[in-house]
Amino acid sequence: MNGMGGESVVESVSAQVRSAVRERVRATAIDLMLEDGFARTTVERIVAATGLPRRSFYRYFGSREDLVLGSTEEQVAVLVAALRSRPADEDPWRALQQAAEALPDAGHAPERSLQVARLVEAAGELRARQLEKHVAWRGALAPVLVERSLSDAVPLDLLSAHALVAAALSCLDVAAEQWMADGGVGRLSDYYDRAVRAVRR
């Protein structure tokens, strides 16, 4: 019993240490990218600036793109769990938005979120990876929307669920573009709400 409890504490501390290291390295790397651009900020420069061994970098992030945008696998797991936890009778648009709020990056300060959004906009490699992520999100979330609708009078079919998630992601992209154009004033979620209202009108 004590051994199990001690082990769980050790695992918890280790997870906290890994998370702290990840955030420290990510913050330093993004600062470098904002200064010199994504293409010029190589893994070599990041490990030199942070002291993180090169092998450890790939264990923590997988790639420079994932350092900026996060792990697709981890994000999918968070999104699916969050969507499944939403009330069964909640509007699917609202449920998707609330699920997205569960992503770790959703809690970043607006100024930092704006910097990262502009970094992604300026780098073709990051835009391409973001598109790949959205395809993966849609593939994971659409079946969950179908599951949630099984008790509805007219359940969603898979095609309709895919279309709904794709529309929500397009609304997010458009909202982010306008939010950036406006200098990051206000909340991105408010821009998203406006985009969704326009689509559903």
Side-chain angles (χ1 to χ4, degrees), residues 124-138:
E125 303 98 318
L126 291 174
R127 293 198 305 275
R129 179 59 64 87
Q130 188 174 56
L131 179 59
E132 291 175 7
K133 283 181 176 295
H134 284 187
V135 170
W137 292 3
R138 193 188 76 201

Side-chain angles (χ1 to χ4, degrees), residues 108-181:
H108 284 179
E111 182 181 350
R112 190 58 156 183
S113 295
L114 180 61
Q115 290 174 334
V116 172
R118 286 177 169 164
L119 183 63
V120 173
E121 184 183 43
E125 303 98 318
L126 291 174
R127 293 198 305 275
R129 179 59 64 87
Q130 188 174 56
L131 179 59
E132 291 175 7
K133 283 181 176 295
H134 284 187
V135 170
W137 292 3
R138 193 188 76 201
L141 293 172
V144 181
L145 286 184
V146 172
E147 291 172 15
R148 284 169 46 87
S149 74
L150 291 178
S151 61
D152 293 351
V154 183
L156 284 172
D157 58 37
L158 191 56
L159 185 149
S160 299
H162 272 284
L164 200 158
V165 178
L169 289 171
S170 292
C171 286
L172 178 60
D173 288 339
V174 170
E177 288 172 11
Q178 189 60 53
W179 181 68
M180 281 190 287

Side-chain angles (χ1 to χ4, degrees), residues 1 7 13 19 34 40 48 60 62-63 76 80 82 84 115 126 135-136 143 145 157 159 164 168 185-186 189 192:
M1 203 67 173
E7 185 177 338
V13 171
S19 178
L34 290 169
R40 292 192 186 92
Y60 276 105
S63 68
V76 163
V80 167
R84 284 194 168 128
Q115 290 174 334
L126 291 174
V135 170
L145 286 184
D157 58 37
L159 185 149
L164 200 158
V185 176
S189 59
Y192 175 78

Side-chain angles (χ1 to χ4, degrees), residues 15-159:
Q16 291 174 13
V17 170
R18 286 195 300 272
S19 178
V21 170
R22 187 196 299 255
E23 285 306 307
R24 177 179 62 81
V25 172
R26 185 173 188 258
T28 300
I30 288 176
D31 285 341
L32 290 172
M33 292 173 184
L34 290 169
E35 188 175 326
D36 297 326
F38 178 78
R40 292 192 186 92
T41 308
T42 61
V43 171
E44 286 71 22
R45 285 196 62 197
I46 294 170
V47 298
T50 61
L52 185 73
R54 183 184 177 91
R55 273 187 302 182
S56 296
F57 174 90
Y58 288 108
R59 283 203 302 271
Y60 276 105
F61 300 106
S63 68
R64 287 183 307 146
E65 290 84 359
D66 284 350
L67 180 148
V68 177
L69 296 170
S71 161
T72 300
E73 183 178 338
E74 291 175 6
Q75 290 168 344
V76 163
V78 169
L79 287 168
V80 167
L83 184 56
R84 284 194 168 128
S85 73
R86 301 306 304 167
D89 59 349
E90 186 173 51
D91 177 85
W93 291 89
R94 177 69 176 166
L96 287 169
Q97 182 180 13
Q98 291 300 304
E101 293 290 335
L103 290 171
D105 285 358
H108 284 179
E111 182 181 350
R112 190 58 156 183
S113 295
L114 180 61
Q115 290 174 334
V116 172
R118 286 177 169 164
L119 183 63
V120 173
E121 184 183 43
E125 303 98 318
L126 291 174
R127 293 198 305 275
R129 179 59 64 87
Q130 188 174 56
L131 179 59
E132 291 175 7
K133 283 181 176 295
H134 284 187
V135 170
W137 292 3
R138 193 188 76 201
L141 293 172
V144 181
L145 286 184
V146 172
E147 291 172 15
R148 284 169 46 87
S149 74
L150 291 178
S151 61
D152 293 351
V154 183
L156 284 172
D157 58 37
L158 191 56
L159 185 149

